[in-house]
Amino acid sequence: ETFARDAQVFQRLLNNRIPEVGKHLSSSGVVPEAYLSKWVIGLCVHVLPFRCLFEYFEQFLKHGWLFLFKFGIALVETLGTQLLEAKRDVSKMFSYLRLDKSLFPDELKETKEKNTFFDQVLQKAQTIELEKSEIEEMRKEEWKILQERLERVRQREKELDEEDDESDYES
């Protein structure tokens, strides 16, 4: 439930900060719950080149969960052109957002160069202004919405169970 809440917060951030890309992803059915897990739950361990993980973890330890949102915004902003050019190719959009290694082959080579795609994303993430209070307020709002949805689902499941019980009785 917490991940689903934060995914909705992230979508709101995209819609507010990068509206063209946010709207494009939403209208294409590309929901954050389907691509955020590698960044948020997996902390990019399986997607960032090893040399970039140090900077990623340093920023995560310094800024906490707020950095995860900053990184995500920076990444989507950096990928904006590719995501828009993918038009309705949902598979391609997911490949970009999940940081498919086949799309970033040069990134996997060990190099001392500090101007690669992922270095740029990490640098951009550090410049993104996000207020913790703003995110916490969005989290509260999205939590309430999520709980209301879950309650409706539970209620509907209960109704279906009762209908099943009645049909079993009639048989």
Side-chain angles (χ1 to χ4, degrees):
E1 292 176 13
T2 303
F3 175 72
R5 175 208 59 200
D6 282 351
Q8 290 309 304
V9 169
F10 185 72
Q11 185 63 54
R12 284 175 63 178
L13 289 169
L14 289 182
N15 292 342
N16 293 340
R17 292 170 173 265
I18 320 167
E20 185 179 10
V21 176
K23 183 184 283 188
H24 177 65
L25 293 173
S26 290
S27 68
S28 300
V30 179
V31 295
E33 292 92 329
Y35 60 83
L36 270 183
S37 62
K38 284 188 174 184
W39 319 339
V40 175
I41 297 170
L43 295 174
C44 287
V45 168
H46 298 288
V47 293
L48 285 181
F50 185 72
R51 63 180 173 67
C52 292
L53 283 173
F54 292 107
E55 181 66 29
Y56 182 89
F57 279 112
E58 184 176 324
Q59 294 303 314
F60 176 68
L61 292 172
K62 184 176 180 181
H63 301 284
W65 56 262
L66 196 59
F67 178 72
L68 301 176
F69 288 105
K70 291 180 175 189
F71 177 83
I73 292 167
L75 180 62
V76 172
E77 195 173 280
T78 305
L79 289 171
T81 301
Q82 290 93 323
L83 294 169
L84 292 171
E85 286 175 353
K87 304 222 186 293
R88 295 283 178 207
D89 187 344
V90 172
S91 177
K92 191 168 196 168
M93 285 186 263
F94 275 127
S95 293
Y96 278 116
L97 292 167
R98 291 179 179 160
L99 302 174
D100 187 323
K101 293 178 192 287
S102 67
L103 296 173
F104 304 96
D106 291 338
E107 293 295 317
L108 302 175
K109 297 175 184 168
E110 285 304 316
T111 178
K112 299 217 185 254
E113 187 179 330
K114 282 281 199 176
N115 200 24
T116 65
F117 174 81
F118 290 118
D119 291 308
Q120 291 171 15
V121 171
L122 286 165
Q123 289 167 5
K124 185 179 281 193
Q126 294 175 52
T127 66
I128 291 178
E129 295 290 327
L130 275 182
E131 292 297 324
K132 191 173 186 178
S133 59
E134 172 192 11
I135 303 302
E136 287 173 343
E137 186 60 33
M138 284 185 191
R139 280 176 150 182
K140 285 179 190 173
E141 292 167 5
E142 292 300 329
W143 184 256
K144 184 178 178 187
I145 292 167
L146 179 62
Q147 293 308 309
E148 290 168 357
R149 283 185 193 146
L150 288 173
E151 184 55 37
R152 287 193 301 271
V153 167
R154 288 182 194 112
Q155 186 61 37
R156 184 64 182 140
E157 286 174 343
K158 184 178 177 183
E159 291 169 5
L160 291 172
D161 283 345
E162 289 170 359
E163 287 175 16
D164 284 346
D165 291 344
E166 289 174 13
S167 67
D168 288 345
Y169 181 71
E170 293 171 359
S171 299

